[in-house]
Amino acid sequence: MKKRIVFATGNAGKVKEIRMILADLGMEVVSMKEAGIQIDIVEDGKTYEENAMIKARAVAQYTDDIVMADDSGLEVDAMNKEPGIFSARFMGEDTSYRIKNGEIIRRLEGVADEDRTARFVCAIAAVLPDKRELTTRATIEGRIGYEEKGENGFGYDPIFYVPEFGKTTAELSEEEKNQVSHRGKALELMKKELMKYEDTYR
Ligand code: IMP
């Protein structure tokens, strides 16, 4: 029987993005909620990979489908790579991104262009039906801007300027962002890994 992919996230935006990227695997992608799995997961890992795997393993206890999870964050070099794995929790989980983004811009006041380097990092973890575990990681390099720009995307996108595009990731279309983003590239790598293990889920 053909297996589904259960994505361990409550974020509908992520599931939509992931469905687009994984479309050519020809498998149904459902969220935890759609799979009827409602659990609270404590992300207490020290790396993106550990956190992604904690989420994937937790959900894999409840299903024989392929389970995937991601963990991502923004590393600002002039802030010692903060907020990093704490990106969602930076200044408090419920603080608006207008405030979080404003604070990062403020902390970089007086920092020259070439020292405003930053990257988004994403790790994807998968647990296969036979409980084999896989992880992939990818990044996108950019610079912290001087003001928020763009309405697309979410989180830190309005202050993440990508020199090749001359735009922030909030000014890219969904398709453009998926092609170059940390999450898009990490998922592409995971797709290649999964194709190697096709025997375990087809
Ligand atoms: P996660 O959902 O636990 O992986 O948290 C990742 C956090 O990193 C998000 O809540 C955002 O603050 C930030 N982040 C990760 N990827 C992106 C992105 O593509 N754009 C903007 N912010 C991002």
Side-chain angles (χ1 to χ4, degrees), residues 14 43 71-73 87-88 97 120 154 156-157 177 182-183:
K14 275 192 192 171
E43 291 176 38
D71 196 62
S72 53
S87 291
Y97 277 90
F120 280 127
F154 65 100
Y156 300 102
D157 280 326
K177 186 181 166 191
H182 48 317
R183 194 169 301 101

Side-chain angles (χ1 to χ4, degrees), residues 70-86:
D70 80 329
D71 196 62
S72 53
L74 173 70
E75 294 182 353
V76 180
D77 290 329
M79 288 170 50
N80 273 323
K81 299 201 192 314
E82 278 179 46
I85 58 167
F86 301 108

Side-chain angles (χ1 to χ4, degrees), residues 40-52:
D40 277 329
I41 303 168
V42 181
E43 291 176 38
D44 54 2
K46 292 186 186 62
T47 63
Y48 300 100
E49 282 82 356
E50 276 178 26
N51 277 336

Side-chain angles (χ1 to χ4, degrees), residues 148-199:
E148 287 193 299
K149 276 191 182 162
E151 306 295 329
N152 304 333
F154 65 100
Y156 300 102
D157 280 326
I159 59 165
F160 190 81
Y161 177 80
V162 188
E164 292 95 296
F165 288 97
K167 288 180 183 176
T168 68
T169 41
E171 293 176 298
L172 298 179
S173 71
E174 218 173 329
E175 290 78 12
E176 282 172 329
K177 186 181 166 191
N178 285 347
Q179 278 174 22
V180 294
S181 79
H182 48 317
R183 194 169 301 101
K185 290 189 288 190
L187 277 167
E188 284 296 335
L189 291 172
M190 183 53 80
K191 200 155 79 178
K192 290 202 182 91
E193 285 294 308
L194 276 182
M195 285 169 177
K196 292 188 206 160
Y197 292 91
E198 235 184 328
D199 55 307

